[in-house]
Amino acid sequence: MSPRAVRIRRFGISALALSAAACGAFGPERAPPQMASPGHYAAKDQSLEMPAADGAAQRLGAGARPVPEWWKEYGSDALDALVDEGLTNSPSLAAAQNTLKAAREGLRAQIGQSLWPSVDVGFSPSRQRALAIPTLSQQTFLYDVFAAEVKTSYTFDFFGAAVLADRALAQQVQQQDYQLESVRRALAANIVVATINAASLQDQVAATEELVALGERRAQQTAARYALGSVSLDDNLAAQEDAALAAATLPALRAQALAVRHAQAVLLGRTPDQAPEPLPLDSLHLPGTVPLSIASDLLHQRPDILAAEAGVRAAADAAGAAAAAMYPSLTLSASYGRGGFDWSTFASPAGAIWGVGASLTQPLFHGGALVARKRQYEANYSAAVSQYRQTVLAAFQNVADTLVSLEEDANALAQSERAANAARDLDRNAQTRYHLGASSLYAALSARQQYESANVQYVRARAARLADTAALFVSMGNPPAGEPAAGEPPAGEPARAAARAALISLQH
């Protein structure tokens, strides 16, 4: 490398270092505001041991790391296959991925345009007819022009306006990266919940169909007894009403079951007519342990919080860029090429053309636009800070509500199981007594109806516990990929790593 090239390179590096150092002089604090970490999430202290129900006692793993592929904790290969299919074929996830890809390319384009010199090559042959000098006899004349040039220019960002703008865009890309992760986790959660609901509704429809059949038999038996004069008209009409009311619940339940299957198919990237068959509810096993991160760790794990944090940093850098844009900028330009009015001149040493120039610009008056823009981005920063606080509070609320629901689900399931077991024993006793002639068919049918009703509530309680377990897994976010640098969010995701590599020389 020639001494001149070395001097130019050193000058460029010095200018870049100067602009990077100037970044700290503009813009508000990039770090998100400190948030108080609660001692426990819910309004009351949460026990780590959930109430035992349905033969399983679930436990909360205090301080445990979140589980990335948490759906595998349900112990169902069929469920794992459905989630994998959805993550592979979902159009909504593909749209979010392509949006992120477009944002990355936009970042690369802006960095390339603002941090590196522009070099262009042009060749412009032309033939022109122009006016001559008035004293000449010929009023116009024809001539050819041949010109070829290499032009370059570079704007020195002494006050960091371009660097801050690039860094703001990098944080926006990082924010979209976290939002993509939120979409991915939400998709997985929706598939799991839809699978649980489809399995639950399948059992509920079966139990309700049995309940409706029993109601019809009971109404028929009551009508026969009324014809024989052994029951009153009121009893007969009441039995008919009960049968009709039970049958009226079945169409809506069937429609709900099909709607859940249709939604599940769309989540998987299928058409509704290709909806998968519901899994047996018994094939989904309740995870024995669910991680429960402490509040301070949650801030570095949930994608929505990390996205809001990236939004604060982006808004701070954008405000800094708006402030830095009010200071001078220096642009150097140079060109070299060949030109002439004929090919012989163009190719000869006399055809060499070149130019160098410098432009120093200091904004003086723009009708208040620069000051207004600075205030605009400062207001955006304040809004991003408030949004970050709200996101953190909403995340704490989400975890608290899920923990309470999970505990009360266990309590409800325990009582539903108790009621179902009692109704089953009552049904068995009633059937035994009926076959022995010690009880009427009407009493046996009534006992079976009570059992089926209790069984429907039991199935719903089981499904609620499974679904809220999935909600708690999702609310914990992702395990951090590595220890974060000072003042920076955890690293590890592809877009974040790419943005950091692109702007490594710009950070301070």
Side-chain angles (χ1 to χ4, degrees):
M1 184 178 295
S2 66
R4 183 179 180 183
V6 171
R7 289 195 298 271
I8 294 175
R9 181 180 179 183
R10 288 177 178 174
F11 181 72
I13 294 175
S14 300
L16 183 61
L18 179 61
S19 63
C23 292
F26 300 100
E29 174 62 39
R30 297 180 71 241
Q34 295 292 328
M35 298 292 294
S37 297
H40 50 81
Y41 291 101
K44 65 174 183 177
D45 195 5
Q46 192 73 34
S47 173
L48 297 180
E49 299 291 338
M50 295 287 102
D54 199 25
Q58 202 171 45
R59 185 179 183 280
L60 301 177
R65 294 168 64 88
V67 181
E69 297 181 333
W70 52 268
W71 51 88
K72 294 184 178 180
E73 300 297 312
Y74 285 88
S76 172
D77 293 338
L79 176 62
D80 297 344
L82 290 175
V83 174
D84 291 342
E85 179 183 349
L87 295 180
T88 302
N89 300 329
S90 171
S92 61
L93 184 59
Q97 290 170 337
N98 285 299
T99 299
L100 176 60
K101 181 179 179 181
R104 290 177 185 171
E105 296 303 324
L107 172 61
R108 292 189 180 99
Q110 180 168 306
I111 291 175
Q113 186 175 13
S114 62
L115 295 187
W116 297 101
S118 62
V119 180
D120 299 294
V121 177
F123 177 59
S124 55
S126 64
R127 182 173 178 81
Q128 301 181 21
R129 185 181 186 95
L131 293 173
I133 300 174
T135 59
L136 297 178
S137 60
Q138 186 177 353
Q139 297 297 314
T140 62
F141 63 94
L142 292 172
Y143 66 93
D144 298 325
V145 177
F146 303 94
E149 284 186 293
V150 177
K151 299 179 180 180
T152 182
S153 65
Y154 182 73
T155 299
F156 290 91
D157 189 28
F158 293 119
F159 295 94
V163 173
L164 287 168
D166 292 342
R167 199 164 64 178
L169 184 57
Q171 291 297 325
Q172 292 174 10
V173 173
Q174 189 176 87
Q175 186 177 24
Q176 286 187 286
D177 185 19
Y178 288 126
Q179 291 170 348
L180 171 63
E181 180 60 22
S182 294
V183 172
R184 191 187 73 86
R185 293 182 65 83
L187 175 62
N190 290 336
I191 292 174
V192 171
V193 172
T195 303
I196 293 171
N197 289 339
S200 170
L201 288 168
Q202 176 180 239
D203 290 352
Q204 292 181 47
V205 168
T208 304
E209 288 175 343
E210 180 64 21
L211 189 62
V212 170
L214 291 169
E216 294 295 340
R217 288 184 61 190
R218 181 182 173 187
Q220 293 173 3
Q221 200 266 348
T222 304
R225 293 176 61 194
Y226 171 71
L228 296 174
S230 59
V231 298
S232 65
L233 177 60
D234 290 345
D235 291 337
N236 183 34
L237 295 176
Q240 299 296 329
E241 180 186 12
D242 291 342
L245 290 175
T249 63
L250 192 55
L253 194 60
R254 286 174 176 163
Q256 183 182 0
L258 287 175
V260 168
R261 292 183 60 193
H262 295 163
Q264 182 188 26
V266 173
L267 291 171
L268 298 177
R270 305 183 188 182
T271 56
D273 60 305
Q274 299 296 321
E277 290 296 325
L279 301 180
L281 191 60
D282 291 335
S283 67
L284 303 175
H285 306 289
L286 184 74
T289 302
V290 184
L292 180 63
S293 301
I294 60 176
S296 59
D297 289 343
L298 194 71
L299 301 180
H300 305 294
Q301 296 173 179
R302 282 184 58 121
D304 55 344
I305 296 179
L306 294 174
E309 181 177 342
V312 171
R313 297 180 188 277
D317 289 334
M326 303 173 68
Y327 289 83
S329 63
L330 174 65
T331 301
L332 300 181
S333 60
S335 64
Y336 177 82
R338 308 195 69 81
F341 294 104
D342 52 54
W343 283 109
S344 59
T345 305
F346 179 84
S348 69
I353 57 175
W354 57 269
V356 293
S359 174
L360 180 63
T361 303
Q362 167 61 59
L364 292 180
F365 178 75
H366 289 261
L370 297 179
V371 176
R373 184 179 302 168
K374 178 175 176 292
R375 293 173 179 171
Q376 173 192 356
Y377 285 110
E378 288 174 348
N380 288 341
Y381 171 78
S382 299
V385 170
S386 299
Q387 184 61 43
Y388 174 80
R389 295 180 184 274
Q390 182 60 37
T391 301
V392 172
L393 294 176
F396 288 161
Q397 179 186 0
N398 173 244
V399 176
D401 292 344
T402 306
L403 287 172
V404 172
S405 296
L406 195 58
E407 181 178 5
E408 296 305 330
D409 285 343
N411 291 328
L413 179 58
Q415 298 304 320
S416 298
E417 182 184 18
R418 177 185 174 189
N421 290 338
R424 183 184 62 247
D425 294 340
L426 179 63
D427 175 56
R428 289 174 179 173
N429 291 337
Q431 299 302 323
T432 301
R433 294 176 61 191
Y434 169 70
H435 289 299
L436 294 176
S439 178
S440 65
L441 176 61
Y442 182 86
L445 293 175
S446 297
R448 178 59 61 86
Q449 280 185 302
Q450 292 179 11
Y451 168 68
E452 294 297 343
S453 296
N455 189 41
V456 169
Q457 298 302 321
Y458 172 61
V459 170
R460 290 175 180 170
R462 290 181 65 194
R465 194 185 190 195
L466 290 169
D468 282 333
T469 299
L472 185 57
F473 272 117
V474 174
S475 68
M476 291 296 102
N478 291 326
E483 292 297 326
E488 292 290 339
E493 286 77 357
R496 190 180 315 115
R500 181 169 298 161
L503 298 176
I504 188 66
S505 62
L506 310 181
Q507 302 297 323
H508 60 87

